[in-house]
């Protein structure tokens, strides 16, 4: 058994079992060794940046695409062993799809759209179709054409259509991605009800609020399983299973990136002041505790993650910047102090407010913007508190204010 499989023990109880799933598109690996299981009745939110492989995973689980290697077993069916015809039957019997685009036939009524799907499942049961539409609250919209329905109503027709074969597994790819807030709420309510009536749901979403309604959140990054609340708790970061390999995504949550920056900044300031950066004096919440855009965390946890990523070296409780960490710390400090100058000098905000705004700003200033601000301010040498601003490329040969 591979080490990845050992990390994710599968049991016969699971409705979906994915083991070391690889999907190759030419030279590109859309999925690079993904393993996890889903229990019957579980509602799983699938997250991850664009291009991380979410849709590929949904399509493979739904039998719309084939896998390159690994195993995918749904309800005891090994998908890699199915022929084209068997995949068609699998789709009809086991899964229901809900997509971001509703994919309704424009010249058929709501009822006919659902019945068309029945036709593909070799049943025609008008009462059943009507029942499915009533279940999603559209009992009074049976004869409406898609164009006569709101986006939310169209998506509800699509959900009714997905339900007619009583699928155990519902696969939803950003089902609320095209909906306004009111319709999003209605559609999520329907998913809640489906969940309560025992359907297994795997739903791609970008919305953390939606993900929180699910039982469990799985995040993909670069085709790897990056995070799984079932294994790591709701907020624990996860070591990539490919860690120490060339394939490792070394992906870090945005909150942690911010914590890294704040710690690097404090370590830099310690060095400026000639003090050792003792781990117990460092805070992972914000440079001066004034800003907590991210939840407070023990600095030790964040520091050891930073050590893994070669940003710092830890020696006798002291954090030392590596060359890479030093470069990044210098950039953060520069952005922070430039932002403070900008807020104080240009927008005349008071020093405390300038500092708070700078804390937020330092994370969103791109290198290009950094140079523009610096040039605009005349390449200042110091921040409003008199601390030095590390020079940037733009400062070369320019007289500094
Ligand atoms: P997500 O849904 O997370 O945004 P996808 O699963 O759609 O990501 O895509 C994952 C990666 O695979 C992307 O780099 C994408 O360009 C690539 N990809 C997806 N489908 C195909 C395809 N049919 N042919 C080639 N590359 C594809
Ligand atoms: Mg997608």
């Amino acid at each position: 058994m591979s080490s990845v499989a050992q990390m994710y023990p599968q049991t016969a109880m699971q409705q979906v079992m994915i083991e070391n799933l690889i999907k190759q598109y030419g030279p590109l690996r859309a999925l690079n060794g993904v393993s996890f299981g889903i229990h019957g009745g579980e509602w799983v939110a699938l997250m991850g940046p664009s291009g991380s492989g979410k849709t590929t995973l949904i399509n493979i689980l739904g039998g719309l695409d084939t896998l390159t290697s690994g195993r995918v077993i749904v309800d005891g069916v090994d998908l890699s062993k199915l022929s084209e015809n068997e995949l068609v039957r699998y789709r009809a019997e086991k899964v229901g799809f809900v997509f971001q685009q509703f994919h309704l036939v424009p010249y058929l009524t709501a009822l006919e759209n659902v019945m068309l799907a029945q036709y593909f499942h070799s049943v025609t049961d008008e009462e059943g179709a009507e029942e499915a539409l009533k279940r999603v609250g559209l009992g009074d919209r049976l004869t409406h054409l898609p164009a006569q329905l709101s986006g939310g109503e169209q998506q509800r027709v699509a959900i009714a259509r997905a339900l007619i074969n009583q699928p155990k597994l519902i696969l939803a790819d950003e089902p609320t991605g095209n909906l306004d807030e009111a319709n999003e709420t209605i559609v999520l309510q329907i998913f809640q009800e489906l969940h309560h009536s025992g359907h297994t749901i795997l739903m791609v979403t970008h919305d953390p609020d939606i993900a929180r309604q699910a039982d469990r959140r799985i995040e993909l990054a670069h085709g790897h399983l990056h995070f799984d609340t079932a294994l790591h708790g709701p907020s624990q970061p996860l070591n990539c299973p490919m860690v120490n390999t060339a394939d490792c995504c070394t992906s870090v949550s945005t909150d942690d990136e911010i914590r890294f920056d704040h710690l690097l900044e404090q370590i830099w300031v310690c060095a400026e002041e000639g003090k050792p950066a003792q781990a117990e004096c460092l805070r992972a919440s914000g440079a001066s505790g004034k800003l907590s855009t991210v939840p407070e965390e023990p600095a030790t946890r964040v520091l050891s993650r930073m050590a893994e990523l070669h940003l710092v070296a830890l020696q006798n409780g002291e954090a030392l910047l590596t060359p890479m960490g030093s470069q990044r710390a210098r950039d953060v400090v520069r952005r922070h102090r430039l932002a403070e100058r900008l807020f104080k000098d240009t927008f005349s905000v008071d020093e405390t407010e300038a500092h708070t705004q700078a804390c937020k700003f330092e994370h969103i200033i791109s290198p290009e913007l950094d140079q523009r601000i610096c040039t605009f301010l005349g390449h200042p040498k110091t921040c409003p508190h008199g601390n030095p601003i590390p020079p940037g490329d733009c400062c070369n040969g320019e007289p500094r204010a």
Side-chain angles (χ1 to χ4, degrees):
M1 190 154 71
S2 75
S3 59
V4 172
Q6 277 158 3
M7 275 179 72
Y8 305 100
Q10 315 283 4
T11 68
M13 299 293 293
Q14 310 217 54
Q15 192 185 352
V16 175
M17 296 201 300
I18 301 170
E19 269 177 30
N20 207 16
L21 171 59
I22 290 176
K23 176 65 186 182
Q24 192 95 28
Y25 289 116
L28 181 121
R29 271 207 178 171
L31 293 172
N32 195 2
V34 171
S35 304
F36 67 92
I38 303 176
H39 289 286
E42 226 179 348
W43 178 359
V44 178
L46 183 60
M47 301 186 81
S50 182
S52 56
K54 305 178 297 293
T55 296
T56 304
L57 181 62
I58 292 272
N59 287 347
I60 291 174
L61 278 173
L64 290 172
D65 204 345
T66 54
L67 50 140
T68 304
S69 68
R71 285 209 313 166
V72 175
I73 297 175
V74 180
D75 251 338
V77 179
D78 186 343
L79 298 191
S80 65
K81 301 223 157 70
L82 299 187
S83 66
E84 205 44 55
N85 281 339
E86 287 167 330
L87 273 176
V88 172
R89 231 183 87 202
Y90 162 80
R91 284 200 294 271
E93 288 175 1
K94 302 276 190 190
V95 291
F97 287 101
V98 182
F99 301 98
Q100 182 174 3
Q101 315 294 340
F102 319 124
H103 297 307
L104 300 178
V105 180
Y107 47 83
L108 296 182
T109 65
L111 189 66
E112 288 163 346
N113 262 288
V114 176
M115 289 183 69
L116 178 71
Q118 287 180 328
Y119 170 80
F120 286 116
H121 296 107
S122 313
V123 283
T124 37
D125 169 13
E126 188 167 339
E127 265 175 41
E130 203 175 315
E131 204 46 53
L133 283 165
K134 282 182 181 157
R135 199 169 162 191
V136 296
L138 291 177
D140 56 351
R141 294 284 192 281
L142 303 178
T143 56
H144 284 57
L145 296 171
Q148 299 168 323
L149 298 169
S150 73
E153 288 169 338
Q154 290 184 54
Q155 188 61 305
R156 280 143 74 190
V157 175
I159 295 172
R161 184 183 55 188
L163 295 178
I164 47 138
N165 57 338
Q166 298 297 322
K168 285 202 188 140
L169 178 62
I170 296 176
L171 299 168
D173 198 348
E174 300 191 52
T176 60
N178 278 342
L179 303 183
D180 59 31
E181 215 174 300
N183 278 304
E184 177 184 299
T185 307
I186 296 171
V187 164
L188 282 174
Q189 183 78 38
I190 295 170
F191 276 99
Q192 286 280 8
E193 283 157 20
L194 294 174
H195 175 50
H196 287 139
S197 60
H199 290 279
T200 310
I201 302 171
L202 181 62
M203 179 191 286
V204 174
T205 179
H206 289 292
D207 185 339
D209 290 332
I210 296 177
R212 269 190 279 278
Q213 297 187 35
D215 297 325
R216 176 177 166 197
R217 173 167 53 101
I218 287 179
E219 280 177 30
L220 296 182
H222 304 292
H224 299 150
L225 190 143
H226 165 60
F227 180 93
D228 182 349
T229 49
L231 293 167
H232 305 95
S235 58
Q236 286 301 306
L238 162 74
N239 275 336
C240 169
M242 305 283 168
V243 73
N244 299 330
T245 72
D247 283 333
C248 179
C249 53
T250 61
S251 143
V252 173
S253 72
T254 315
D255 279 6
D256 265 0
E257 293 286 7
I258 292 174
R259 293 188 185 103
F260 291 177
D261 282 349
H262 287 166
L263 284 167
L264 288 169
E265 208 168 356
Q266 292 165 70
I267 299 168
W268 178 274
V269 170
C270 283
E272 273 182 350
E273 295 172 352
K275 293 191 301 205
Q278 292 296 336
E280 73 261 21
C281 304
L282 302 174
R283 307 190 62 80
S285 60
S288 67
K290 288 203 182 79
L291 174 94
S292 24
T293 50
V294 295
E296 169 93 49
E297 276 264 351
T300 42
R301 199 276 298 164
V302 185
L303 282 169
S304 50
R305 184 79 179 108
M306 289 165 72
E308 277 169 25
L309 296 171
H310 309 293
L311 291 170
V312 296
L314 298 171
Q315 249 173 41
N316 306 323
E318 188 184 342
L320 304 167
L321 294 174
T322 63
M324 190 162 78
S326 181
Q327 181 61 49
R328 177 160 164 183
R330 186 182 184 283
D331 291 345
V332 181
V333 168
R334 174 176 153 80
R335 290 198 300 269
H336 181 102
R337 290 179 180 168
L338 275 175
E340 273 187 303
R341 269 255 159 259
L342 181 72
F343 284 111
K344 177 133 191 307
D345 297 357
T346 310
F347 303 127
S348 308
V349 302
D350 72 52
E351 269 181 37
T352 317
E353 181 61 14
H355 174 78
T356 308
Q357 291 305 328
C359 278
K360 292 179 192 158
F361 232 66
E362 67 192 27
H363 303 294
I364 53 177
I365 300 178
S366 64
E368 193 208 41
L369 189 58
D370 161 313
Q371 302 204 7
R372 276 172 43 198
I373 293 172
C374 189
T375 305
F376 171 76
L377 294 171
H379 309 283
K381 282 201 175 92
T382 59
C383 77
H385 307 95
N387 295 318
I389 300 178
D393 290 344
C394 63
C395 303
N396 287 339
E398 299 266 357
R400 298 189 74 204

